[in-house]
C-alpha cells in the first residue's frame, strides 16, 4: 500500500512489481548446440593472453601430476627408511603419473567435498597394489602446499628470462639513443634536457631492481616438506616408531627429490602465508614498474616523440581510421593494475589465518597465485614486444626542443653577457621582458617561440650575437647523460644479464 504522496507506509508491502518483456527474456537457457569451451566463461588471462608455458605451469594436469610425483617421493623416502613398501608398488605409481581420469576425480570430489582425497582414490584405482600406501602419514597440505611451492618456483623460472630480455632490449635502445637530446619533464612540464637513452636507463634501473627481487623471492622459497597435520610431524614419528632421526631424514630426502635445497623448519598445517605475501608483493612491484614505463610511453606517444610498434594492418579505431592508439602499453597498464591488486589478497589471507590454519585461504589462493604469475607473464611478454619495436622521431623531438630551449638558455646568455662586460641585473631584466613577449606569441597567437630572434635583433646583446647559436646547442644542456648511459650499462646491466646470455635472442610475438 502506498500513501497519496506515493511513499510506502512502514510495515506495509508495496505492490508486486511488473517486468517488461525485455526484462523477462534478458536471460536465456544455456544453448546445447554450442561447444563446451565457448559456452563457458574463460579467463582472458589463460584463453587470450598468457604464454603456453605459464598457462601449463598452473594447469590441472601440471598440478595433479605434481601431486602424484609427491606421493611417489614420499613412498620412496619411506621405503628407504624401512617402511615396508615394495618396489612394484612404486613402479605401479610411476606408470600412472600422467594418466589422470579428471572426470572420475571430479565425480569423487563432488561426493567427498575433498579434492585431495578424491585424487587419492582415483590414483589408488589406477594402482591397486599401491593404494594402501599412497599418502601414508601425510596431510592434504603435503601435496597442496608443496605443489604450490614447486609451481611458484617454476613460475619465477619462466618469468626471469623474459624480464632479462626486456632489460636487454631496452639497454640496446638506450645505447643507440644515448646522445639524442630530448626535453625532460617534471610535473609533465618541460624541464632541463635529458637524452632518449638516459630516460630509458631510468626504466632499466627499476627493471634491474625487479630482476634482483624476483631472483631473491625465488631463491628464498623453501619446501614445506613432510610436516604432518599441524607441523609437528607426529604421524611420521609414529610411523617410524619414535625414531625422530628418520623423521628428519624423510623430510630431507623428499625435499631433495622435489628439487629444493631445504624445507621450512617451522610450519603449522601450512607453510606461513607470509611466503605468499613475499611472492605476490614482488610481482606487484614488477607490475608497478611496467605500469610506470608504459605510462611514459603513452605520454611520449601523445607527443609523437616515441611510439610503440604499430603494424601495417593494425587498426587503431573502428570509427577513426587515422588513430594510432598505444594499445600494447595500455594493455600492460591495465593488467599491471590487476597484478598490483592481487597482493592485497595475500596480505588479507596471512592476517586472518587462525592458529595453525583455517581453510578460508584455499579458494582465494587458487585464484590469486596463478593469476599473479599469469598476469606477470603477459605484461612481460607484451612489454618485450614493445621494447623490440620502439620508434623514435628525432624531427619531432627537435621541434619540441626548439620551442622550449630558448627559455632554458637564458642563464647561458646572461653568463656570456657578463663575461663580455655587461651588468648581470640589467641583462636579466632585458631577457625577462623579451621572454614574456615571446611567451605571448606562443600562448596568445599560437606562434613559434621567437625569443632567440628577439635577442639577435636587440643591439644590447650585439657583443654575443656570434655566440648565440652555440649557446643554444642542445648537447650543451644534457650534462653527463651519454656517459651515464654507457657506465650504467657496462657496470650494472651487463653483469645482471650474464646468467641469461643464452636466452636473450628469443623474440616476443603477440597473437592479439
Amino acid at each position: 500500500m502506498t500513501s497519496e504522496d506515493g511513499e510506502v507506509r512502514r510495515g506495509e508491502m508495496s505492490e508486486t512489481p511488473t517486468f517488461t518483456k525485455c526484462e523477462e527474456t534478458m536471460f536465456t537457457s544455456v544453448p546445447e548446440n554450442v561447444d563446451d569451451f565457448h559456452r563457458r566463461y574463460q579467463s582472458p588471462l589463460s584463453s587470450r593472453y598468457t604464454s603456453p608455458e605459464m598457462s601449463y605451469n598452473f594447469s590441472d594436469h601440471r598440478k595433479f601430476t605434481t601431486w602424484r610425483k609427491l606421493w611417489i617421493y614420499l613412498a620412496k623416502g619411506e621405503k628407504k627408511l624401512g617402511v615396508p613398501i615394495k618396489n612394484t608398488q612404486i613402479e605401479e605409481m610411476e606408470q600412472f603419473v600422467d594418466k589422470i581420469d579428471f572426470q572420475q576425480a571430479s565425480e569423487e570430489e563432488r561426493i567427498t567435498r575433498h579434492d585431495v582425497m578424491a585424487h587419492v582414490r582415483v590414483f589408488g584405482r589406477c594402482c591397486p597394489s599401491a593404494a594402501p600406501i599412497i599418502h601414508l602419514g601425510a596431510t592434504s597440505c603435503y601435496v597442496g602446499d608443496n605443489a604450490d611451492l614447486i609451481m611458484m618456483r617454476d613460475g619465477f623460472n619462466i618469468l626471469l628470462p623474459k624480464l632479462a630480455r626486456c632489460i636487454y632490449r631496452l639497454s640496446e635502445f638506450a645505447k643507440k639513443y644515448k646522445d639524442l637530446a630530448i626535453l625532460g619533464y617534471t610535473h609533465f612540464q618541460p624541464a632541463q634536457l635529458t637524452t632518449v637513452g638516459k630516460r630509458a636507463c631510468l626504466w632499466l634501473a627499476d627493471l634491474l631492481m625487479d630482476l634482483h627481487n624476483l631472483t631473491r623471492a625465488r631463491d628464498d622459497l623453501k619446501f614445506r616438506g613432510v610436516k604432518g597435520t599441524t607441523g609437528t610431524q607426529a604421524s611420521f614419528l609414529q610411523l617410524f616408531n619414535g625414531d625422530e632421526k628418520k623423521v628428519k631424514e624423510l623430510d630431507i630426502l623428499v625435499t631433495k627429490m622435489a628439487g629444493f635445497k631445504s624445507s621450512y623448519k617451522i610450519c603449522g598445517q601450512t607453510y606461513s602465508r607470509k611466503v605468499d605475501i613475499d611472492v605476490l608483493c614482488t610481482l606487484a612491484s614488477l607490475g608497478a614498474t611496467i605500469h610506470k614505463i608504459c605510462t611514459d610511453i603513452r605520454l611520449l606517444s601523445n607527443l609523437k616523440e616515441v611510439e610503440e610498434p604499430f603494424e601495417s594492418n593494425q587498426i587503431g579505431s573502428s570509427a577513426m581510421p587515422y588513430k594510432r592508439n598505444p594499445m600494447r602499453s595500455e594493455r600492460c597498464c591495465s593488467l599491471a593494475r590487476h597484478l598490483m591488486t592481487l597482493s592485497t589478497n595475500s596480505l588479507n589471507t596471512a592476517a586472518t589465518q587462525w592458529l595453525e590454519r583455517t581453510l578460508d585461504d584455499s579458494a582465494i589462493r587458487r585464484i590469486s597465485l596463478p593469476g599473479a604469475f599469469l598476469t606477470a607473464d603477459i605484461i612481460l611478454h607484451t612489454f618485450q614486444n614493445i621494447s623490440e619495436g620502439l620508434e623514435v622521431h628525432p624531427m619531432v623531438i627537435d621541434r619540441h626542443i626548439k620551442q622550449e630551449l630558448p627559455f632554458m638558455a637564458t642563464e647561458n646568455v646572461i653568463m656570456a653577457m657578463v663575461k663580455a662586460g655587461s651588468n648581470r641585473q640589467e641583462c636579466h631584466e632585458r631577457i625577462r621582458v623579451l621572454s614574456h613577449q615571446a611567451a605571448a606569441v606562443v600562448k596568445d597567437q599560437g606562434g613559434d617561440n621567437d625569443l632567440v630572434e628577439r635577442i639577435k635583433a636587440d643591439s644590447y646583446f650585439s657583443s654575443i650575437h656570434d655566440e648565440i647559436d652555440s649557446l643554444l646547442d642542445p648537447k650543451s644542456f644534457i650534462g653527463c647523460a651519454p656517459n651515464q648511459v654507457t657506465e650504467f650499462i657496462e657496470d650494472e646491466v651487463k653483469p645482471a644479464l650474464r646468467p641469461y646470455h643464452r636466452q636473450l635472442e628469443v623474440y616476443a610475438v603477440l597473437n592479439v
Side-chain angles (χ1 to χ4, degrees):
M1 295 291 291
T2 58
S3 61
E4 291 181 359
D5 59 6
E7 294 182 352
V8 179
R9 295 192 182 96
R10 183 175 296 177
E12 297 179 353
M13 294 181 62
S14 62
E15 296 177 1
T16 303
T18 59
F19 297 95
T20 66
K21 184 70 174 175
C22 179
E23 289 171 324
E24 290 175 351
T25 59
M26 192 174 294
F27 177 78
T28 59
S29 59
V30 179
E32 295 294 331
N33 61 339
V34 178
D35 66 89
D36 192 57
F37 180 87
H38 288 98
R39 68 183 176 189
R40 293 177 181 270
Y41 170 77
Q42 307 290 334
S43 168
L45 294 180
S46 56
S47 67
R48 183 174 173 85
Y49 296 127
T50 199
S51 67
E53 60 270 21
M54 188 63 83
S55 187
Y56 176 72
N57 188 52
F58 289 96
S59 67
D60 280 353
H61 187 270
R62 175 76 202 287
K63 176 179 178 179
F64 295 123
T65 54
T66 301
W67 283 16
R68 291 188 174 188
K69 289 176 183 177
L70 287 166
W71 283 320
I72 293 169
Y73 301 156
L74 182 63
K76 285 182 174 180
E78 289 172 338
K79 179 183 184 302
K80 185 173 182 178
L81 295 170
V83 177
I85 295 173
K86 300 175 182 177
N87 284 329
T88 54
Q89 291 175 302
I90 293 173
E91 290 167 0
E92 187 179 45
M93 293 166 71
E94 290 175 331
Q95 290 175 9
F96 289 93
V97 167
D98 59 356
K99 298 173 183 177
I100 301 173
D101 189 332
F102 289 102
Q103 181 63 37
Q104 192 178 83
S106 296
E107 292 170 359
E108 280 290 344
E109 187 173 358
R110 187 164 54 250
I111 295 169
T112 62
R113 304 295 181 195
H114 199 289
D115 57 350
V116 174
M117 280 309 301
H119 279 270
V120 167
R121 290 183 177 184
V122 171
F123 196 22
R125 290 185 192 128
C126 297
C127 316
S129 71
I133 55 93
I134 293 174
H135 201 65
L136 181 60
T139 186
S140 297
C141 285
Y142 167 69
V143 289
D145 273 26
N146 282 324
D148 286 342
L149 290 163
I150 289 170
M151 291 188 291
M152 287 193 291
R153 177 199 64 193
D154 294 350
F156 278 124
N157 286 333
I158 293 171
L159 293 177
L160 281 164
K162 296 185 179 187
L163 176 53
R165 287 194 287 271
C166 291
I167 293 170
Y168 177 65
R169 301 293 188 273
L170 268 188
S171 68
E172 292 296 299
F173 177 85
K175 284 194 294 185
K176 182 177 180 180
Y177 294 104
K178 65 185 176 69
D179 297 305
L180 181 59
I182 190 171
L183 279 177
Y185 286 90
T186 58
H187 315 277
F188 202 43
Q189 300 298 314
Q192 283 288 340
L193 299 190
T194 182
T195 70
V196 173
K198 171 60 188 297
R199 179 176 284 145
C201 285
L202 297 178
W203 302 339
L204 281 166
D206 288 350
L207 289 170
L208 283 180
M209 290 178 64
D210 293 310
L211 188 72
H212 170 79
N213 290 339
L214 264 68
T215 303
R216 181 207 52 76
R218 179 200 62 188
D219 294 346
D220 281 355
L221 288 176
K222 297 181 181 181
F223 200 55
R224 179 191 176 275
V226 286
K227 298 297 194 295
T229 55
T230 58
T232 63
Q233 299 175 301
S235 59
F236 296 103
L237 191 63
Q238 183 177 7
L239 181 66
F240 292 117
N241 299 313
D243 191 335
E244 190 170 337
K245 183 179 178 181
K246 285 189 175 182
V247 174
K248 292 180 179 179
E249 284 187 50
L250 178 64
D251 202 6
I252 293 170
L253 283 171
V254 174
T255 297
K256 288 183 177 179
M257 281 188 273
F260 286 83
K261 294 179 181 178
S262 61
S263 65
Y264 295 109
K265 292 187 180 298
I266 295 296
C267 291
Q269 187 172 92
T270 70
Y271 65 78
S272 171
R273 295 307 184 221
K274 281 185 70 68
V275 174
D276 294 347
I277 293 176
D278 188 32
V279 169
L280 266 65
C281 285
T282 298
L283 296 177
S285 181
L286 169 66
T289 298
I290 297 295
H291 196 296
K292 184 266 189 293
I293 298 171
C294 288
T295 298
D296 285 353
I297 293 172
R298 292 163 67 188
L299 293 171
L300 293 169
S301 176
N302 175 263
L303 297 172
K304 295 180 174 57
E305 293 183 342
V306 180
E307 295 181 304
E308 67 175 39
F310 195 89
E311 296 150 19
S312 59
N313 293 322
Q314 186 173 331
I315 296 173
S317 167
S318 62
M320 295 169 281
Y322 60 87
K323 291 292 288 295
R324 179 171 171 159
N325 299 330
M327 52 80 65
R328 292 166 171 84
S329 297
E330 290 171 324
R331 177 184 298 171
C332 284
C333 289
S334 177
L335 292 174
R337 290 199 301 272
H338 173 64
L339 178 56
M340 288 186 282
T341 63
L342 290 176
S343 61
T344 305
N345 291 337
S346 63
L347 292 163
N348 287 330
T349 296
T352 55
Q353 288 299 286
W354 300 350
L355 305 175
E356 278 66 47
R357 195 264 175 103
T358 179
L359 195 62
D360 63 356
D361 67 337
S362 178
I364 191 64
R365 292 177 71 254
R366 294 173 191 261
I367 298 169
S368 59
L369 293 183
F373 279 91
L374 266 65
T375 306
D377 179 74
I378 296 162
I379 63 175
L380 283 177
H381 184 76
T382 307
F383 181 67
Q384 182 187 334
N385 179 264
I386 294 170
S387 64
E388 289 169 354
L390 282 173
E391 298 179 10
V392 178
H393 304 295
M395 299 299 289
V396 177
I397 292 171
D398 184 60
R399 184 170 71 248
H400 290 164
I401 289 175
K402 287 179 178 177
Q403 290 172 350
E404 302 294 339
L405 192 59
F407 295 134
M408 299 177 190
T410 54
E411 186 66 21
N412 289 9
V413 171
I414 292 173
M415 292 299 103
M417 287 292 291
V418 171
K419 289 178 182 178
S422 296
N423 181 293
R424 190 267 178 196
Q425 312 312 328
E426 182 180 348
C427 182
H428 181 281
E429 177 59 20
R430 283 182 174 268
I431 289 180
R432 185 190 71 80
V433 173
L434 294 178
S435 295
H436 284 294
Q437 292 172 353
V441 171
V442 173
K443 295 177 181 178
D444 300 335
Q445 301 175 27
D448 292 331
N449 187 333
D450 62 357
L451 177 58
V452 174
E453 285 71 22
R454 291 177 184 273
I455 292 174
K456 287 182 177 180
D458 191 328
S459 60
Y460 175 80
F461 297 96
S462 60
S463 61
I464 64 163
H465 280 173
D466 293 340
E467 300 178 47
I468 289 178
D469 288 338
S470 63
L471 294 174
L472 290 168
D473 182 1
K475 289 186 177 180
S476 66
F477 291 84
I478 60 175
C480 302
N483 289 334
Q484 287 178 344
V485 172
T486 300
E487 291 174 8
F488 175 66
I489 291 173
E490 290 297 321
D491 295 346
E492 297 192 31
V493 175
K494 286 186 177 180
L497 293 180
R498 284 192 191 114
Y500 306 96
H501 70 278
R502 289 191 177 92
Q503 299 166 287
L504 297 178
E505 296 305 324
V506 178
Y507 290 84
V509 178
L510 300 186
N511 295 321
V512 290

